[in-house]
Amino acid sequence: MQEMTHRHSRELDVFYNEHSDACTNCGRKFQNGMRTHLGYDIERNPVVLCDDCAYLLSETVVRYRWTESEYEKVPPESKLWRYIDLSKFLSMIGKKTLYFASAESFEDIFEGAKGTLELKEKWDAFYLDFFKEAIQTAPGMKPEDLTAEYIEENAIRLLSELNASENVKRKHTFISCWHCNESESEAMWKLYSTNVSNALAIQTTYQQLYEALDKDPSIKIGKVKYIDFSKRFSFVNGSFWYKRKSFEHEREVRAIITSYQAHSGGIEKAVNLEKLISAVYVSPYAPKWFEDVVRDVMQKYGLNKPLYCSEMLKASFY
């Protein structure tokens, strides 16, 4: 079996993001725990291969046990909407950036939560047992050193470190939120613009968002899952992909960045607006002059995209 080189490249990481679910050669779908191989074939094409096809590798960059992604992937042509007020729109098109807010700044107190406080004792008990087992089976440990006291003390230490690291994650996880829907949403107009008469919506697709962010492999884009936290936990490494069922109407897709260099309430990432924006919609509650302001702003910044009044303004008959 080849030695791993660990020579990652942006090209290889982008390829893995887009082809991580199945063997490049035979098409076999990967299952949890299956050994997979990421690297290059003899023609230096990136490949991710199952064990049976690993002989095709000319270079093995990394070998790993495949695990299912912590988030649900979004179909490429799914329509996404971002409801914002004029000031945020001006900032976006003026700076050509997309804002990612710190998870710590969100109003939802369950952002990044593992479960309800009443279940924390059960959570801690599970991971305490997990760490005890890990300590006892760790390579290189001498049986005579594995006293009950040693195991207990170090399991408690590891649990404490785990809990502390989860709080830190809220400071260093940054999120851009989108609404997934084939049409605009009256509820979203009112919920996610500070002044609904001074609001607009950007319409895009998953594929456009992904490409507008330059296919950055450090940015994960996926659907939020809505659960009852009083009956189950989220996951240690995927808690920011879970929200309470009371938010299910949001149908949220989020782009997530983890950065330990950023220390502010949010970060801005360069974005290609021509790729990102399919169209801009003006709030159904906006006065006529607001549409003119938005059109002038788009012309000033050279944003040549369709501008529509909300379809909720269409007349009805009885």
Side-chain angles (χ1 to χ4, degrees), residues 226-256:
Y226 300 94
I227 63 172
D228 185 345
F229 280 93
S230 67
K231 294 180 179 178
R232 59 157 292 184
F233 300 114
S234 63
F235 290 95
V236 169
N237 295 319
S239 57
F240 294 99
W241 299 104
Y242 290 84
K243 296 183 74 169
R244 288 174 288 177
K245 277 191 168 291
S246 53
F247 290 88
E248 210 160 8
H249 60 279
E250 293 178 346
R251 303 179 63 171
E252 186 178 341
V253 166
R254 48 179 45 177
I256 296 182

Side-chain angles (χ1 to χ4, degrees), residues 2 58 87 102 104 118 125 139 187 238 292:
Q2 291 181 351
S58 65
S87 62
S102 165
E104 195 177 41
E118 64 188 11
D292 297 333

Side-chain angles (χ1 to χ4, degrees), residues 15 18 33 40 53 78 84 125 137 142 166-167 178 194 203 213 221 228 264 275-276 283 285 298 303 306-307 310 313:
F15 178 86
E18 296 177 353
Y40 298 93
C53 299
S78 295
I84 54 177
T137 57
K142 298 177 181 178
E166 293 306 307
N167 286 323
W178 297 77
T194 54
Q203 194 263 303
L213 290 166
I221 306 172
D228 185 345
S264 63
K275 287 185 177 180
L276 176 69
S283 167
Y285 306 100
M298 290 172 65
L303 187 62
L307 176 65
S310 166
L313 289 175

Side-chain angles (χ1 to χ4, degrees), residues 164-183:
S165 69
E166 293 306 307
N167 286 323
V168 170
K169 282 182 183 178
R170 283 170 50 84
K171 297 177 184 290
H172 299 289
T173 299
F174 300 89
I175 304 171
S176 175
C177 305
W178 297 77
H179 174 67
C180 186
N181 207 330
E182 282 302 302
S183 58

Side-chain angles (χ1 to χ4, degrees), residues 49 85 144 147 149 159 169 215 217 251-252 274 292:
L49 301 173
D85 56 34
E144 61 269 24
T147 64
E149 184 178 319
L159 177 62
K169 282 182 183 178
K215 300 184 177 181
R251 303 179 63 171
E252 186 178 341
E274 287 298 317
D292 297 333

Side-chain angles (χ1 to χ4, degrees), residues 73-90:
K73 295 186 178 180
V74 188
E77 298 309 312
S78 295
K79 282 189 179 180
L80 305 179
W81 302 76
R82 185 162 172 83
Y83 294 85
I84 54 177
D85 56 34
L86 181 61
S87 62
K88 290 179 180 177
F89 183 65
L90 283 168

